[in-house]
Structure formats: C-alpha cells, structure tokens
Amino acid sequence: MEQTPDPEAATLAATSSRDPELGLRAVATLRGLVEALEALQVDNARAKGWSWQDIAGRLGVTKQAVHQKHGPRGRSGPGR
C-alpha cells in the first residue's frame, strides 16, 4: 500500500523538481502558507500593541499596504 506523502514534505521536495506541474503546485502551496503565517503574525503583533508602521517595517511594505491587507476592512472569511 502506497502512503500519501506529507504535503509540506512533498512541497519541499518539489522545489528541486524539474517537473513544472509539481513546481507550480509547490509555489501555490507555499504562497498559501506564507499568507497564513503573515496573517497570524500580524494578529500577534497587533495583540501586543505593535503599530501598523512597526509591522510594515518588518514586512518591508508601507503601513498603508499592511493596514489595507490586515486591517478591519481588509479582512474576509470566517472569524475575520
């Protein structure tokens, strides 16, 4: 019986693949993980009293960009 690989391990393995199907799927998966990690850490920073400017500086974007993306109106989905 063949085991289904761990999605993170499969994504990392695909980074060195010459198969564009695997590579592009890995890019999409990594993009989703980065978005989730960014949202989590922005929430953590805001909960600790960080300003939008502080967060933006760490992310290398403008405070307007981070506020638009993660501020009250920029959020969508359940629990946001």
Side-chain angles (χ1 to χ4, degrees):
M1 183 167 145
E2 187 177 318
Q3 252 186 324
T4 304
D6 173 24
E8 286 91 11
T11 298
L12 290 175
T15 60
S16 62
S17 173
R18 296 183 60 84
D19 180 350
E21 174 69 25
L22 291 175
L24 292 171
R25 271 195 281 155
V27 168
T29 300
L30 289 169
R31 189 174 286 138
L33 290 171
V34 166
E35 289 296 319
L37 179 60
E38 181 179 312
L40 174 67
Q41 293 307 324
V42 168
D43 286 348
N44 288 342
R46 292 295 293 163
K48 292 184 183 304
W50 285 39
S51 70
W52 291 111
Q53 185 65 52
D54 292 335
I55 296 166
R58 300 319 191 283
L59 292 175
V61 299
T62 65
K63 74 176 183 179
Q64 292 83 1
V66 76
H67 187 266
Q68 183 177 8
K69 185 173 182 180
H70 297 286
R73 282 196 229 146
R75 299 187 167 202
S76 62
R80 295 251 175 183

